[in-house]
Amino acid sequence: MLYTELLQLWNQAVQAVDKRDWEGALSKLNQITEPTSRTLFVTASAYLALGQLEPAVKALDQVIAKDERLAVGFFQRAGVHTLNGRLEEALSDCIWAQKYMRDNSVIDYRQLGLRYKLYSWQVLYNAAVVHCRLGLWEKAGSILEKASKEKGGRAGTVEVALESLSRKEILDPLLVPEGEVFRPRKQDIEQLQQRDFLGKAKVISSMIPNDDFGGFEPLRMQKPGYYEPKGDPSQDSCYMRLRSPYMAHGPEELSVPGGSIVFVFSNANAEGLVTVIYDGQVRRGTLGVDNDQCFLIL
């Protein structure tokens, strides 16, 4: 399937997750014919929120198959295995998650679209949970002691768990919070929306004085006198094209590229002199004729 189609369905699924519409999210996700590890993680999260542990595990199996070094995938599957009573599988996943932490105390997944930080103490915590459920209380306690020395925002979680272990109370595993899923990049979603790359045409520099037309030249309304600035009725005016480029020799002259069109006023009272307008500038010059073709001598 096209990547744009995947993005659309993924984004719609995430919007459904934000509304806690888990069935709606799954409906969109199931339309993705070539899921990625991140879209499959969303699928697993939706099944988990619905309390459907087996489908959640199967989705997490695919997440890890797609990205075998995704520590948070092993961490999440360890928690689901624990809830499902598969303690050996859960412990194995804790070990894999710890391995792919790569000696880091924390991995921040925000760059991948998941607003979640996975701490090494959380992985150890889930390993302790497995051991306490296996009845290995001392081992669970020693793992939690190690977790208490790890860096990260534990907010007393490990300390409370140690107290619970002293009373031989079964602990619940930690999971990525409900609703926290991998999201497509905002920039990618914005590019899916229809955009007007041309925009409305604007006149930046017109060859026609007092021009405020904003369309394409062939579409301009054509009617006599439409372009011509208002002036003295005794003046004749017209457009002329400069045969060759002219470089100004002083502030009283104009520099005009060859082939450019200028607007010319001629005054009967000033023989041979004309007023020339080009690019918003006004200068005086003389008018010549060559082979019955008008041209300007500035």
Side-chain angles (χ1 to χ4, degrees), residues 19 60 63 72 82 93 143 150 159 162 190 207 209 215 229 261 295-296:
K19 297 175 183 177
L60 287 167
V63 169
V72 72
T82 302
D93 278 344
I143 294 173
E150 293 284 325
E159 289 71 18
L162 283 168
E190 288 175 347
M207 64 179 64
I261 296 176
F295 68 100
L296 292 176

Side-chain angles (χ1 to χ4, degrees), residues 48-108:
L48 186 58
L50 291 170
Q52 300 179 26
L53 300 184
E54 281 299 327
V57 168
K58 289 180 180 178
L60 287 167
D61 289 343
Q62 294 180 69
V63 169
I64 293 167
K66 295 277 186 180
D67 189 348
E68 60 183 17
R69 293 178 175 81
L70 189 66
V72 72
F74 286 104
F75 170 78
Q76 189 79 335
R77 193 172 68 174
V80 179
H81 275 320
T82 302
L83 294 174
N84 217 15
R86 295 174 178 168
L87 300 180
E88 290 186 3
E89 290 91 336
L91 185 57
S92 177
D93 278 344
C94 288
I95 294 170
W96 282 111
Q98 188 177 40
K99 175 182 178 180
Y100 291 123
M101 288 291 293
R102 299 180 182 85
D103 296 325
N104 293 307
S105 60
V106 60
I107 296 178
D108 190 344

Side-chain angles (χ1 to χ4, degrees), residues 1-255:
M1 73 184 309
L2 294 175
Y3 185 60
T4 53
E5 295 174 342
L6 184 148
L7 281 176
Q8 287 175 336
L9 292 170
W10 183 7
N11 185 53
Q12 291 167 0
V14 168
Q15 291 175 343
V17 166
D18 291 339
K19 297 175 183 177
R20 297 305 189 259
D21 179 11
W22 311 113
E23 294 287 357
L26 288 172
S27 174
K28 296 298 181 182
L29 292 163
N30 289 335
Q31 295 178 46
I32 299 176
T33 57
E34 299 176 16
T36 66
S37 59
R38 286 182 282 178
T39 63
L40 288 165
F41 190 94
V42 184
T43 301
S45 299
Y47 279 126
L48 186 58
L50 291 170
Q52 300 179 26
L53 300 184
E54 281 299 327
V57 168
K58 289 180 180 178
L60 287 167
D61 289 343
Q62 294 180 69
V63 169
I64 293 167
K66 295 277 186 180
D67 189 348
E68 60 183 17
R69 293 178 175 81
L70 189 66
V72 72
F74 286 104
F75 170 78
Q76 189 79 335
R77 193 172 68 174
V80 179
H81 275 320
T82 302
L83 294 174
N84 217 15
R86 295 174 178 168
L87 300 180
E88 290 186 3
E89 290 91 336
L91 185 57
S92 177
D93 278 344
C94 288
I95 294 170
W96 282 111
Q98 188 177 40
K99 175 182 178 180
Y100 291 123
M101 288 291 293
R102 299 180 182 85
D103 296 325
N104 293 307
S105 60
V106 60
I107 296 178
D108 190 344
Y109 285 97
R110 283 181 296 181
Q111 289 185 347
L112 294 179
L114 175 64
R115 296 177 296 201
Y116 183 73
K117 294 180 180 180
L118 177 62
Y119 291 91
S120 58
W121 71 262
Q122 293 174 309
V123 177
L124 291 171
Y125 184 101
N126 276 2
V129 171
V130 173
H131 282 88
C132 83
R133 292 186 177 223
L134 289 170
L136 304 173
W137 300 100
E138 289 186 9
K139 182 67 173 177
S142 66
I143 294 173
L144 280 180
E145 288 288 351
K146 182 179 179 181
S148 67
K149 298 174 183 178
E150 293 284 325
K151 297 179 181 179
R154 292 184 298 275
T157 304
V158 175
E159 289 71 18
V160 172
L162 283 168
E163 292 178 8
S164 297
L165 280 185
S166 67
R167 298 189 294 270
K168 293 193 175 181
E169 295 176 358
I170 298 296
L171 302 176
D172 290 326
L174 299 176
L175 294 164
V176 175
E178 185 176 281
E180 293 298 340
V181 296
F182 285 99
R183 300 167 182 270
R185 293 196 317 162
K186 183 179 178 181
Q187 303 95 305
D188 293 341
I189 298 304
E190 288 175 347
Q191 290 180 3
L192 291 177
Q193 301 172 0
Q194 291 185 350
R195 301 173 66 183
D196 182 6
F197 289 98
L198 295 177
K200 184 178 179 181
K202 294 182 179 179
V203 174
I204 298 175
S205 178
S206 175
M207 64 179 64
I208 301 172
N210 303 326
D211 191 359
D212 60 357
F213 181 67
F216 292 103
E217 186 67 23
L219 302 180
R220 185 193 290 256
M221 297 276 300
Q222 303 291 323
K223 53 185 179 181
Y226 182 79
Y227 307 103
E228 288 146 12
K230 294 180 180 179
D232 190 336
S234 65
Q235 294 178 329
D236 293 327
S237 60
C238 64
Y239 290 101
M240 293 188 176
R241 185 181 300 277
L242 205 65
R243 292 170 61 100
S244 58
Y246 184 84
M247 178 64 69
H249 295 162
E252 73 282 357
E253 297 182 347
L254 285 174
S255 291

